[in-house]
Amino acid sequence: MRNYDYPGNVVSWRFQAPANEKSVAILVPTGTPDHVKIIAYNLDSTPVTASMTGWEVDPGKWQITQGTRGNADTDPAQNVTTRTAEWERSASLPITFAPHTTTVLELKLVDKGVPYWSRPDLGIGDDDVKVEGNRMQVTVHSLGAVEAPAAKVVLRNREGKVLATANVAPLKAPTDLIPKTAVVSLTIPPNADYKGGSITIEMSGKLPEITQMNNRVTF
């Protein structure tokens, strides 16, 4: 999808240190919304652990088959394992590549989930959080395709302890291309230390959001 503003990649990768993007050579010969095949060779002398994030994939339950292969394309796969996992756009799967080995991954959608265009989505960003004295003001955005149900904004410290919460009323979807937002205010308890903690938006209801990547701001 050359020259497109919208990225067309099927997956992206994040490697666990000390490994990096130069540690594994990766080929994706098949990349469709319901079938992904990956051939990768670990150039390092130690196992490499990576987080594989889906992008141009359909949501649902996926069957993941992983094995190793010799140098020839015709060599049969060895050490084959199969598992199932929920996977979708912006969700990640852990993958481990054996050292100096070719790994073959095949992912197939076996049970479709809720389509993205039928989901709500709430989001917050760094610029949406303002602190004045003991008051924290948070602007919540509705970004999905359908109305978002009631939600909570939750402030936690670095240990995960809840310091304060605020309710967010249901928000309509911006189907008219006009932003739909709600501003809520939280009272920070006296002497509370939220540095290293987070503020999250947590939606109620059964429908999944389009993505969870815009639900959290860390301090």
Side-chain angles (χ1 to χ4, degrees):
M1 300 177 71
R2 188 186 301 273
N3 297 327
Y4 274 53
D5 291 332
Y6 185 81
N9 52 300
V10 178
V11 296
S12 64
W13 301 88
R14 188 177 298 274
F15 297 93
Q16 184 175 305
N20 55 44
E21 67 278 2
K22 296 181 180 180
S23 298
V24 184
I26 298 174
L27 174 68
V28 185
T30 303
T32 65
D34 60 0
H35 181 202
V36 180
K37 184 174 182 180
I38 296 166
I39 302 172
Y41 184 81
N42 179 2
L43 298 162
D44 288 355
S45 57
T46 57
V48 169
T49 299
S51 179
M52 182 179 70
T53 302
W55 292 109
E56 287 302 297
V57 296
D58 287 340
K61 182 178 293 184
W62 286 71
Q63 178 180 280
I64 305 155
T65 302
Q66 180 172 347
T68 58
R69 195 176 68 189
N71 294 327
D73 290 344
T74 56
D75 288 350
Q78 300 176 342
N79 308 309
V80 177
T81 61
T82 300
R83 59 189 172 108
T84 58
E86 296 292 331
W87 194 44
E88 59 185 43
R89 184 183 301 165
S90 80
S92 298
L93 295 171
I95 305 292
T96 299
F97 301 100
H100 296 310
T101 301
T102 298
T103 296
V104 179
L105 282 162
E106 190 145 16
L107 300 93
K108 294 181 179 180
L109 181 65
V110 294
D111 189 10
K112 291 185 177 181
V114 179
Y116 303 119
W117 55 83
S118 299
R119 299 185 182 195
D121 191 44
L122 293 176
I124 54 175
D126 293 345
D127 294 341
D128 296 315
V129 181
K130 310 293 183 184
V131 179
E132 292 185 6
N134 70 333
R135 304 292 290 177
M136 180 177 289
Q137 184 174 286
V138 182
T139 302
V140 180
H141 301 260
S142 177
L143 306 166
V146 299
E147 179 175 315
K152 285 184 178 293
V153 172
V154 183
L155 174 65
R156 293 181 173 88
N157 65 11
R158 65 173 62 88
E159 286 80 29
K161 179 183 177 181
V162 175
L163 300 177
T165 64
N167 293 322
V168 182
L171 277 173
K172 292 186 178 297
T175 52
D176 56 2
L177 304 183
I178 297 175
K180 303 295 186 288
T181 61
V183 180
V184 298
S185 183
L186 299 85
T187 301
I188 304 171
N191 302 318
D193 182 12
Y194 60 87
K195 298 301 182 183
S198 65
I199 188 87
T200 57
I201 177 73
E202 301 175 7
M203 194 178 69
S204 62
K206 296 181 179 180
L207 278 177
E209 294 189 68
I210 293 175
T211 180
Q212 295 285 327
M213 295 185 80
N214 57 4
N215 286 29
R216 179 185 177 95
V217 171
T218 56
F219 301 106

